[in-house]
Amino acid sequence: MRSVLHYLLEPTELTCRFMGRAVELAEAAQHRAAPNPTVGAVLVKENDIVAYGVTEPLGGRHAEVVCIDDARARHVDMTDTTLYVTLEPCGHHGRTPPCSDAIIEAGIPRVRYGVDDAHPAVSGEGLRALGAAGVDAKQTSHQDVIHACEALHRSFRHKILTGRPYVILKTAASLDGSMALSDGTSNWITSQASREKVHAIRANVSALVTGHGTIQTDNPRMTVRHVQSERHPQIYACLGSSRSNTKAHVFEKIPGRAETQVFITGEDGRVDLVALLGDVAKDGHHLVLIEAGPTLSRSFLNAGLVDEWWHFVAPKWLNGKRLFEAPVLAMSASSCFDDIIFNGSVGRDMLFVGPPRERC
């Protein structure tokens, strides 16, 4: 996936450099802290970064505390330092104590953060506590930095504001728009380079939705390969009423992957997609990837539930099962995406992206 660091347009400026490093730290550990956001933090003294921090998995330390502990381990005097953090420091008691308390106790006099906490129940608490203690805490004024942090925390903020996870749809088709052969099989439509890119996307999400047609026909593993990852996304399988394919690869117990969840289709053969995404959110996920066949993919698009779309096109003609009657040209007309961008070549394939957007 494209790095959010492309938003940092002025890397020579100190604020951009320091916050850029914080973004980079968080991006490398994306979604490992779900349902919490993965935050990055650096501590700066005399224009040098002297300590680093990134949010630990659920129940562990927040980025600010990790950074402060790192500074203490390095014997840093924190009385004249600035803490740069991608998200507003929290000021409430949850699974861990408030980050604002740790900052005050460490004697850090200045805090600069990228974006506000989107949760209305807690937003501003940390800032008020820091201000009352005499800490100069404020949001950075650099718009490029703010945009980078918004991109970093987009899925977390989306879940807070909508109650649903941020949805990325991945589809792959031939030049004639076919996602599968006439018999339904779809293995290896695209090139090895495209498959590696998809695995990189999988590594950055915590949940994956697929359908009974894909499971029955292709029997995919839906694991993360080709890129280094400590875990695999939890799978939500939309099955027919028979449950006949629960012995498929997606139901195997694999280290680093939570148990696969099953959703049975109704008598009309459909799944309540809003309810499905609601359950995904309740399970703590804020970023989900849809990897399914034409029917389920089209259902998500037609329901207006797709927030970002990655469509790979292979230079071949299959004359098989299509996502739309027209190939790429139908992407905008059949969805809520007004702008479909040619993102470039991936191996021998072409990549089109429906970029993040406001909901229809």
Side-chain angles (χ1 to χ4, degrees):
M1 294 180 67
R2 191 179 185 189
S3 170
V4 297
L5 289 178
H6 75 278
Y7 287 103
L8 300 183
L9 304 178
E10 299 173 299
T12 58
E13 295 189 17
L14 291 176
T15 297
C16 290
R17 178 159 65 90
F18 300 143
M19 195 67 80
R21 183 64 178 123
V23 168
E24 191 176 54
L25 289 170
E27 191 179 34
Q30 271 286 52
H31 309 295
R32 74 170 187 175
N36 293 331
T38 301
V39 177
V42 297
L43 190 67
V44 174
K45 186 180 181 70
E46 297 177 352
N47 290 337
D48 286 323
I49 297 177
V50 294
Y52 305 82
V54 65
T55 311
E56 294 179 335
L58 186 63
R61 298 170 296 169
H62 288 192
E64 298 93 326
V65 177
V66 174
C67 190
I68 290 169
D69 288 347
D70 184 38
R72 287 185 175 131
R74 298 169 185 262
H75 306 290
V76 174
D77 179 2
M78 289 180 270
T79 56
D80 189 22
T81 58
T82 303
L83 179 68
Y84 290 85
V85 58
T86 59
L87 185 68
E88 168 193 340
C90 69
H92 66 282
H93 286 269
R95 293 183 175 87
T96 60
C99 293
S100 55
D101 288 358
I103 294 169
I104 294 167
E105 181 184 348
I108 297 172
R110 291 175 299 277
V111 174
R112 298 292 180 265
Y113 67 93
V115 291
D116 296 320
D117 193 322
H119 203 301
V122 299
S123 180
E125 284 189 6
L127 298 180
R128 287 190 290 271
L130 291 171
V135 178
D136 176 17
K138 63 182 68 172
Q139 184 179 22
T140 177
S141 60
H142 290 261
Q143 288 301 310
D144 46 357
V145 170
I146 293 173
H147 291 160
C149 293
E150 286 176 343
L152 175 69
H153 297 302
R154 179 180 288 121
S155 61
F156 173 72
R157 292 167 62 84
H158 180 275
K159 179 185 172 185
I160 293 297
L161 296 173
T162 68
R164 292 198 295 266
Y166 187 88
V167 174
I168 297 175
L169 172 66
K170 187 280 295 183
T171 53
S174 59
L175 285 172
D176 65 331
S178 299
M179 292 181 67
L181 297 173
S182 56
D183 63 1
T185 57
S186 61
N187 279 330
W188 317 138
I189 288 179
T190 54
S191 66
Q192 177 69 21
S194 291
R195 295 196 291 274
E196 290 176 1
K197 195 170 189 69
V198 170
H199 281 272
I201 298 173
R202 282 186 195 168
N204 277 312
V205 305
S206 58
L208 187 153
V209 173
T210 192
H212 65 89
T214 298
I215 295 173
Q216 187 170 16
T217 305
D218 296 338
N219 194 19
R221 297 186 183 277
M222 296 295 188
T223 54
V224 178
R225 304 181 298 280
H226 306 299
V227 296
Q228 185 175 359
S229 178
E230 297 177 357
R231 58 166 179 74
H232 308 280
Q234 183 176 17
I235 294 172
Y236 291 77
C238 302
L239 299 185
S241 57
S242 66
R243 288 178 177 259
S244 60
N245 41 14
T246 54
K247 295 184 182 298
H249 289 317
V250 295
F251 297 102
E252 295 174 348
K253 294 185 181 297
I254 296 176
R257 183 169 76 187
E259 182 179 359
T260 294
Q261 300 297 304
V262 173
F263 285 80
I264 301 299
T265 56
E267 294 182 358
D268 60 356
R270 298 181 179 181
V271 170
D272 186 335
L273 301 182
V274 173
L276 166 61
L277 292 179
D279 285 354
V280 172
K282 289 177 183 176
D283 288 344
H285 304 290
H286 48 82
L287 182 61
V288 59
L289 176 65
I290 311 298
E291 285 197 71
T295 301
L296 188 56
S297 296
R298 190 163 49 240
S299 295
F300 270 99
L301 283 167
N302 291 340
L305 294 173
V306 176
D307 300 292
E308 192 172 321
W309 187 4
W310 293 61
H311 184 64
F312 296 83
V313 178
K316 57 181 67 173
W317 201 268
L318 297 181
N319 196 27
K321 295 186 176 182
R322 295 178 176 180
L323 179 60
F324 302 117
E325 284 308 309
V328 178
L329 296 177
M331 290 178 70
S332 294
S334 303
S335 69
C336 294
F337 290 90
D338 295 325
D339 299 311
I340 303 298
I341 300 170
F342 173 60
N343 195 257
S345 299
V346 183
R348 66 172 185 266
D349 306 321
M350 296 177 289
L351 174 59
F352 296 84
V353 175
R357 58 171 176 80
E358 297 295 329
R359 287 199 169 272
C360 302

